[in-house]
Amino acid sequence: MPHERQVSTLEARKDPHPVSLKVLRLSPPSLATQYALPRRTSAEIPAILDAAALSYPSADPTDNFILSPVLTLPPAFGSAYVGEIFACTVCANNERRPDAAVASTGSVHGVRIVAEMQTPTMTVPVELGPPTSPSEAPALSPGQTLQKLVRFDLKEQGNHVLAITVTYTEAGSEDPSETSLTARSPSRERERVRTFRKLYQFLAEPSLAVRTKTVELNSKPRTDATQDSTPRYLLEAQLENMSQDLMTLETVDFMARSSLQATSLNWDVPWSSSSSSSSSSSASSGEKDTKKNPSKKIPPPTLSPREILQVAFVIGPAGSDSDTVEEEPTVGPKRSPSRSPPPTTRDGRMALGQLRLEWRTAMGERGVLSTGWLTFRKR
């Protein structure tokens, strides 16, 4: 973790706890980089074996690729990004020595760990895994450890504080109110419940910066009184990779309001392998290719750090036909936006919908981000 807050002077004067708390962040590994030694170019340069020229062993010693097949763990805490899952392990350790002198008075039982995350706007209790019931609170003999996992979905940017509270019952501890002149006997030894709390602070940084612009398209003239004259809108969004890692965008969806529907103009739209402007001879061959492969898909885009990608959607009334692109049928469960706001706010803004972004990092870590309600105000 980045740093641990200092305890107060009053807490330092209390009896030391036999149970300590350790928190370690769980981060995905990365491929180790290597720089091979230069090959022999003249007789004056001593020959170097191909296997010795590489930093890490490889199946092909002549391969000078910068990435090796060896995985390495991050040397520090790293960065936490909004949209990803923050994971860490929490360990409660009984620090007493497992020897015969303190075996009878060194055990603790009823150990419970409670965690909560303090975000910039609220405090959220965090469920620890694997789950255990309060009646199954484990006992820790000297030298034993209780380990729990914390997983929290980062949805806000800013400072986050992970608060861990450990409660346990110390067995065979003497009453601290007794003086040294009082005779120590087993009857005077009793159990007492002790607790302590530690705070760990870290910063959640933005992973994707989203900048949007909405313009109104020219409405189609009504030829019949029964046709809908609701205007259509073009939504443009710029997505900038604010993280330090490479990411692959898997999904960019616009979850429109219930009375509207959105048509994607991005890479997820299938395109035909035949061209409508080709000649009759080429069209006949194109029809054969279309039967074999009716549509092709562009692979998902990859964004390097600080790279920008622009996406667009056409938004119109639900049930209307789009003149631009035929919308691909939805696969899997249909996503719906959160609670819909009023169609038009007091300042004349009309709510259109929300953007939902899904991506994966170079090592397969998943990220999900949803924007707030995007609106349009007619000038």
Side-chain angles (χ1 to χ4, degrees), residues 148-283:
K148 294 290 184 179
L149 296 179
V150 174
R151 294 178 61 88
F152 184 78
D153 190 4
L154 298 176
K155 299 181 180 180
E156 298 183 55
Q157 177 184 351
N159 288 326
H160 287 63
V161 178
L162 177 62
I164 307 293
T165 303
V166 179
T167 304
Y168 63 95
T169 301
E170 189 175 5
S173 59
E174 295 185 359
D175 191 347
S177 62
E178 299 290 343
T179 62
S180 58
L181 299 179
T182 306
R184 297 179 180 180
S185 62
S187 61
R188 293 188 177 273
E189 293 181 354
R190 64 180 181 86
E191 296 181 347
R192 57 172 174 168
V193 178
R194 304 188 65 182
T195 182
F196 64 92
R197 178 185 176 92
K198 289 189 176 182
L199 306 177
Y200 301 89
Q201 183 177 359
F202 63 93
L203 179 65
E205 302 177 4
S207 54
L208 277 173
V210 182
R211 294 180 288 270
T212 61
K213 176 184 177 181
T214 307
V215 295
E216 184 178 0
L217 301 177
N218 294 329
S219 303
K220 295 185 295 183
R222 291 191 302 174
T223 59
D224 189 1
T226 60
Q227 292 184 356
D228 190 3
S229 61
T230 305
R232 297 183 304 158
Y233 306 92
L234 175 63
L235 173 69
E236 298 176 290
Q238 287 186 346
L239 312 178
E240 182 178 359
N241 183 5
M242 303 296 293
S243 66
Q244 301 176 358
D245 302 324
L246 192 74
M247 65 170 56
T248 300
L249 287 176
E250 292 188 338
T251 304
V252 177
D253 287 340
F254 185 81
M255 301 179 293
R257 199 159 48 88
S258 58
S259 60
L260 301 174
Q261 72 175 11
T263 302
S264 174
L265 304 179
N266 308 309
W267 71 91
D268 53 350
V269 177
W271 56 278
S272 176
S273 60
S274 61
S275 175
S276 59
S277 61
S278 59
S279 60
S280 58
S281 59
S282 61

Side-chain angles (χ1 to χ4, degrees), residues 62-205:
T62 61
D63 188 7
N64 294 334
F65 192 57
I66 188 174
L67 294 179
S68 69
V70 179
L71 297 177
T72 59
L73 296 176
F77 176 82
S79 301
Y81 295 106
V82 177
E84 298 180 355
I85 295 180
F86 175 81
C88 65
T89 176
V90 180
C91 300
N93 311 311
N94 189 345
E95 297 293 345
R96 286 177 172 171
R97 296 177 301 172
D99 53 14
V102 295
S104 60
T105 60
S107 63
V108 295
H109 60 90
V111 181
R112 292 189 297 109
I113 302 177
V114 179
E116 61 182 14
M117 186 70 73
Q118 300 174 8
T119 68
T121 58
M122 65 183 70
T123 300
V124 183
V126 180
E127 183 177 356
L128 302 178
T132 56
S133 61
S135 59
E136 298 177 355
L140 294 181
S141 301
Q144 288 187 342
T145 299
L146 174 63
Q147 182 175 350
K148 294 290 184 179
L149 296 179
V150 174
R151 294 178 61 88
F152 184 78
D153 190 4
L154 298 176
K155 299 181 180 180
E156 298 183 55
Q157 177 184 351
N159 288 326
H160 287 63
V161 178
L162 177 62
I164 307 293
T165 303
V166 179
T167 304
Y168 63 95
T169 301
E170 189 175 5
S173 59
E174 295 185 359
D175 191 347
S177 62
E178 299 290 343
T179 62
S180 58
L181 299 179
T182 306
R184 297 179 180 180
S185 62
S187 61
R188 293 188 177 273
E189 293 181 354
R190 64 180 181 86
E191 296 181 347
R192 57 172 174 168
V193 178
R194 304 188 65 182
T195 182
F196 64 92
R197 178 185 176 92
K198 289 189 176 182
L199 306 177
Y200 301 89
Q201 183 177 359
F202 63 93
L203 179 65
E205 302 177 4

